[in-house]
Amino acid sequence: MRETIIETEAMTRFDAAVDEVTGADRGLSGFVLAYGQAGRGKSVAADRYHFQRGGAYVRVWQGWSQTSFLQRLLFEVRGKNTDMPRHTGNRCKELIVQALEGEAKPLFIDEADRLRIDRIEDLRDIHEMTGAPVVLIGEEGIFGLLSERRRIWSRVVHEIEFGPISPAEVALYGMQAAGLDISLELAGEIAQTTEGDFRLVRNMCLLLEKAAKAQGNFSVDRQMLDTARSARNWRRK
């Protein structure tokens, strides 16, 4: 299989939302919230945007303190091959603000639902001082986090839900990643079996590709799909 990223409807909406806040006047900028279950393509969308159009990207680690988080954010904002900053959290925040005052690039915070609310307040401070848009990427639990502070929630200007992958997207992915010809009917069954999880769709396509190579036929039929389905448990516990 080839490493493939397909353009989903959610990715298109994500790109448009980030473009809007990035291009807006300072007073019209704000937070973008990209949310959905694991495996729905949120991180892929954010990483792709960051790679193609710039910004600072941080993937949150569990249990980060203010200092650890802001050191990492400063490192990414600088965008240079420098050593990890060793300043205090507050000093890092001051330096982040200084760096963004001249270029208010978007800040992508992946797995933001792992953060404590005080770290979101740090991001609000940075946004207020610089106008840099903040893109929070996380699972549905992030709503409970943000609802703790109305002053943060009021700054969310776009909410992008990453839902289950559609049958058409399954068929497109199978073709581009593995050369599989999957009818919409069978693609719908794959989407249902995998609960629309991109990672599970990839795993299903790996099995189908293996069967296709063995048979010398890349048109997926009922027997191939049933065999792949029986190879493992596809449901979340």
Side-chain angles (χ1 to χ4, degrees):
M1 278 184 67
R2 296 178 292 276
E3 184 175 351
T4 301
I5 297 175
I6 64 169
E7 183 78 22
T8 66
E9 188 268 341
M11 285 183 178
T12 300
R13 288 188 290 111
F14 178 87
D15 288 351
V18 180
D19 281 347
E20 183 177 319
V21 294
T22 301
D25 292 335
R26 178 168 175 169
L28 298 176
S29 183
F31 282 58
V32 172
L33 177 59
Y35 68 95
Q37 292 181 11
R40 297 288 170 80
K42 307 179 300 298
S43 296
V44 171
D47 186 62
R48 184 190 67 161
Y49 190 104
H50 166 249
F51 177 77
Q52 293 179 346
R53 310 185 201 185
Y57 185 99
V58 172
R59 187 183 298 272
V60 175
W61 285 16
Q62 186 68 30
W64 261 352
S65 65
Q66 180 195 43
T67 297
S68 297
F69 172 63
L70 291 175
Q71 284 176 346
R72 185 70 199 190
L73 182 57
L74 175 59
F75 178 81
E76 298 297 338
V77 165
R78 284 174 167 171
K80 300 176 182 177
N81 274 330
T82 58
D83 293 333
M84 185 65 64
R86 298 302 176 194
H87 310 294
T88 64
N90 282 335
R91 181 56 180 157
C92 284
K93 189 191 289 191
E94 293 170 353
L95 293 171
I96 291 167
V97 168
Q98 289 178 16
L100 292 174
E101 282 178 336
E103 182 187 3
K105 54 189 172 184
L107 308 178
F108 298 92
I109 312 299
D110 200 358
E111 301 202 23
D113 47 305
R114 285 180 158 189
L115 290 173
R116 295 180 179 178
I117 189 63
D118 287 346
R119 303 294 73 75
I120 307 295
E121 291 281 13
D122 287 327
L123 291 168
R124 184 180 71 87
D125 289 340
I126 292 167
H127 167 71
E128 291 290 308
M129 293 297 295
T130 67
V134 178
V135 184
L136 302 176
I137 303 109
E139 297 188 27
E140 291 92 334
I142 197 168
F143 283 100
L145 179 68
L146 297 181
S147 66
E148 294 182 31
R149 305 286 169 88
R150 184 175 180 83
R151 60 178 174 265
I152 295 175
W153 184 249
S154 66
R155 286 166 173 78
V156 176
V157 294
H158 291 288
E159 299 173 43
I160 313 299
E161 180 179 11
F162 282 75
I165 183 172
S166 71
E169 290 165 348
V170 170
L172 178 61
Y173 178 81
M175 176 58 70
Q176 293 189 0
L180 298 168
D181 183 8
I182 308 174
S183 69
L184 277 180
E185 179 185 359
L186 294 184
E189 294 186 25
I190 292 172
Q192 184 177 23
T193 298
T194 60
E195 298 179 343
D197 186 316
F198 257 113
R199 298 187 187 102
L200 295 182
V201 170
R202 176 200 60 199
N203 294 344
M204 177 79 78
C205 287
L206 280 169
L207 294 174
L208 292 171
E209 181 189 37
K210 183 177 180 180
K213 287 180 176 178
Q215 295 181 18
N217 180 8
F218 280 75
S219 293
V220 176
D221 58 24
R222 170 69 56 189
Q223 182 178 357
M224 290 170 62
L225 179 55
D226 287 346
T227 300
R229 276 173 160 173
S230 65
R232 57 166 289 178
N233 182 4
W234 298 96
R235 296 288 183 179
R236 289 192 178 94
K237 299 297 185 183

